[in-house]
Amino acid sequence: MLTSVATTRNIVSEMKDRAASVIHSGSRFATSNVLGLMGVTVRYERGAEIFAEEEPAEYIYQIVSGTARTCKLLSNGRRQIGAFLMKGDYFGMEARDTHCFAAEAITDVTVHMISRSAAFAAAGREPEVARALWDITARNLDASQQHSLLLGRKTALEKIGSFLSEMAERQGCDDEIDLAMSRQDIADYLGLTIETVSRTMTQLECAGTIALPSSRHVVLKRHIELERLSLC
Amino acid sequence: MLTSVATTRNIVSEMKDRAASVIHSGSRFATSNVLGLMGVTVRYERGAEIFAEEEPAEYIYQIVSGTARTCKLLSNGRRQIGAFLMKGDYFGMEARDTHCFAAEAITDVTVHMISRSAAFAAAGREPEVARALWDITARNLDASQQHSLLLGRKTALEKIGSFLSEMAERQGCDDEIDLAMSRQDIADYLGLTIETVSRTMTQLECAGTIALPSSRHVVLKRHIELERLSLC
DNA sequence: CGGCGAGTTGAAGGACATCAAGGGATGTGG
DNA sequence: CCACATCCCTTGATGTCCTTCAACTCGCCG
């Protein structure tokens, strides 16, 4: 496939400027896993910027391993994290030609990069691919709207409750979760300050709803209590 | 087109339960305006529910005229409006089989209804339709993420400034806007209370940034000042 | 040990919410 | 035409949740 070769060369040359390295270059479409095997696999170090706000949107990404975040900045340093990206999550699909948020690696991250043009070309040929692209975007939209409800109308306690429930569900874990992100990341995700996040976590611990053996490790002791807080 | 006939019959029977009436039933795809002429045209009265949260998502909608809102509810009556829908806007495209928010007519509203299955079938046949579907969804995603930034990290003054700028832009109007929505709608869109919306508007009027000849009619006197408030 | 970044905790302040009352437009009936 | 009701909006007084500012703790690493 011609575009794939050219694409790979572009990525490799770009990688010099970044804390990233090409791991594997696929050359075949897999219609079963639809977008899974297109493009190349790339690794970013913890803290690295995967792409910047306003950067041309040339690729679509899927997380293979690790955790990343999408974020937007406002003047005087205010930041809003739009989503935490974990294994299997797609991101970087923009309606316009430039990214309208930045993506950064929270931990070391491995991603599949698929060139936008190749993805659209494939979508034009194979309805399944087109449907998959749409489906991914629609799911991201769902998540974003759900998040708007949290940001606009939930209290700090409900926000933390919702966040912990979400993380538990996404880690497929019954009652223990490891947080890859800092308190600042959580605060910027929930529209709170780092101090309020900390205080609210402590409050939940005192109430016996959770335990905090360490700041990044949370034990959910009363899962039902969290569900009640999440409302929805 | 078989599905169109069946679809129309379904819609007509459903309309009995609602404050809506079928106006026109299209029977041909228009690949130029892509989704524009598929499906039927329906009218909803001011205040009518176009679809409810959790209702099966059978149709995709486009506003022909009037203004609508999408909203989600939380316990104790808290409400978040996800978007105001105006001429040309598409809504109701869900990743799942049920709507994850409700849609309601703010003014009398005319919409195109396109059956989901017909839209997807068309997308399978015509890449342009698939691309248009994706594009619409991606734009909605962009808007939703932009809105998250507002909800999570802007002050009341910035929220109102952003809101007025957005409305001015969407009405394609230089310096005067008519608000179809109530203060309560604005409050639920911006994550504020009705009182704060009112006070902030007054504050902007006192500062000479806007004029309020009536509560629903706003004159933007210093457009630049609003842009400054919107930040971004 | 000492320094640093991340997280926690306390005290004080502020932005927005809540509670309460009043104004202004529109409609209805006498 | 006015009385009256209703709805939407505005304004004021008070309250509170979250932020801000500041100090301290903990774990980690040279």
Side-chain angles (χ1 to χ4, degrees):
Chain A
M1 196 188 83
L2 283 174
T3 49
S4 179
V5 174
T7 294
T8 304
R9 194 170 300 133
N10 289 342
I11 292 172
V12 172
S13 64
E14 271 184 28
M15 288 310 107
K16 291 171 192 164
D17 313 338
R18 303 168 182 240
S21 55
V22 177
I23 290 175
H24 160 268
S25 168
S27 57
R28 253 199 301 259
F29 292 164
T31 47
S32 54
N33 190 17
V34 196
L35 298 174
L37 293 182
M38 291 168 58
V40 298
T41 304
V42 177
R43 190 159 181 286
Y44 289 89
E45 283 180 11
R46 167 180 139 84
E49 183 172 70
I50 299 172
F51 56 77
E53 219 171 318
E54 305 299 329
E55 185 174 310
E58 294 186 50
Y59 306 101
I60 290 170
Y61 302 79
Q62 183 183 29
I63 302 270
V64 176
S65 70
T67 303
R69 63 183 170 237
T70 61
C71 50
K72 278 175 168 287
L73 283 173
L74 226 45
S75 64
N76 58 312
R78 283 175 292 176
R79 186 178 71 154
Q80 179 66 44
I81 290 183
F84 290 118
L85 306 164
M86 295 154 71
K87 184 171 177 165
D89 290 344
Y90 287 87
F91 60 106
M93 297 149 299
E94 309 284 341
R96 300 170 201 146
D97 293 334
T98 58
H99 290 295
C100 69
F101 51 78
E104 296 160 0
I106 291 178
T107 61
D108 288 354
V109 160
T110 307
V111 296
H112 275 302
M113 291 174 75
I114 306 155
S115 112
R116 238 169 92 97
S117 54
F120 284 136
R125 268 178 276 116
E126 313 199 34
E128 291 164 19
V129 174
R131 175 64 191 250
L133 261 183
W134 177 83
D135 211 66
I136 290 161
T137 308
R139 272 175 213 284
N140 285 352
L141 177 57
D142 267 19
S144 179
Q145 285 171 332
Q146 195 62 38
H147 199 55
S148 288
L149 177 63
L150 175 146
L151 289 170
R153 288 298 181 216
K154 289 188 181 178
T155 66
L157 198 58
E158 291 164 351
K159 285 176 176 180
I160 295 289
S162 302
F163 169 72
L164 292 176
S165 293
E166 182 194 344
M167 286 300 127
E169 189 189 332
R170 293 180 70 181
Q171 293 194 7
C173 184
D174 296 333
D175 52 355
E176 299 212 8
I177 51 182
D178 282 298
L179 302 174
M181 65 292 289
S182 70
R183 293 289 189 265
Q184 185 64 63
D185 284 337
I186 299 173
D188 288 343
Y189 181 59
L190 301 177
L192 297 170
T193 59
I194 185 175
E195 293 95 332
T196 300
V197 171
S198 189
R199 265 186 264 270
T200 308
M201 295 277 240
T202 304
Q203 188 182 337
L204 283 172
E205 189 178 27
C206 291
T209 311
I210 62 172
L212 286 165
S214 82
S215 68
R216 302 281 184 111
H217 188 77
V218 186
V219 180
L220 310 183
K221 298 177 75 174
R222 297 188 205 154
H223 215 294
I224 307 111
E225 191 66 14
L226 288 180
E227 301 296 345
R228 198 183 57 74
L229 281 176
S230 312
L231 311 145
C232 281
Chain B
M1 195 187 81
L2 283 173
T3 49
S4 179
V5 174
T7 294
T8 304
R9 193 170 300 133
N10 288 342
I11 293 172
V12 172
S13 64
E14 271 184 28
M15 288 310 106
K16 291 170 192 164
D17 313 338
R18 303 167 183 242
S21 55
V22 176
I23 289 174
H24 158 267
S25 168
S27 59
R28 253 197 300 260
F29 292 166
T31 47
S32 54
N33 190 17
V34 196
L35 299 173
L37 292 182
M38 292 167 59
V40 298
T41 304
V42 177
R43 189 157 181 288
Y44 290 89
E45 283 180 12
R46 168 179 137 86
E49 182 172 72
I50 300 173
F51 55 78
E53 219 172 318
E54 306 298 329
E55 186 174 311
E58 294 186 50
Y59 304 103
I60 291 171
Y61 301 80
Q62 183 184 29
I63 301 271
V64 177
S65 71
T67 303
R69 63 184 171 236
T70 61
C71 51
K72 277 175 169 287
L73 285 173
L74 225 46
S75 63
N76 57 313
R78 284 176 291 177
R79 185 180 71 153
Q80 178 65 44
I81 290 183
F84 290 119
L85 306 163
M86 295 154 71
K87 184 171 178 165
D89 292 342
Y90 287 88
F91 61 105
M93 296 149 299
E94 310 282 342
R96 299 170 202 147
D97 294 334
T98 58
H99 290 295
C100 68
F101 50 79
E104 296 160 0
I106 292 178
T107 62
D108 288 355
V109 160
T110 308
V111 295
H112 275 301
M113 290 175 76
I114 306 155
S115 111
R116 236 168 92 97
S117 54
F120 283 136
R125 269 178 275 114
E126 312 199 33
E128 290 165 19
V129 174
R131 176 62 191 252
L133 262 182
W134 177 84
D135 211 65
I136 290 161
T137 308
R139 273 175 212 285
N140 285 351
L141 177 56
D142 267 19
S144 179
Q145 285 171 332
Q146 195 62 39
H147 200 55
S148 288
L149 177 63
L150 176 146
L151 290 170
R153 288 297 182 217
K154 289 188 181 178
T155 65
L157 199 58
E158 292 165 350
K159 285 175 176 180
I160 295 288
S162 302
F163 169 71
L164 292 176
S165 293
E166 181 194 344
M167 285 301 128
E169 190 190 331
R170 293 180 70 180
Q171 295 194 7
C173 183
D174 295 335
D175 52 356
E176 300 212 7
I177 51 184
D178 282 298
L179 302 175
M181 65 292 290
S182 69
R183 293 290 188 264
Q184 186 64 63
D185 283 337
I186 300 173
D188 288 343
Y189 181 59
L190 300 177
L192 298 170
T193 59
I194 186 175
E195 292 95 335
T196 300
V197 171
S198 188
R199 265 186 263 269
T200 307
M201 294 277 240
T202 305
Q203 188 183 337
L204 283 172
E205 188 179 27
C206 291
T209 311
I210 62 172
L212 286 165
S214 81
S215 68
R216 303 281 184 112
H217 189 76
V218 186
V219 181
L220 311 183
K221 300 177 74 175
R222 297 187 205 157
H223 215 291
I224 307 110
E225 191 67 14
L226 287 180
E227 300 296 346
R228 199 184 56 74
L229 280 176
S230 312
L231 310 146
C232 281

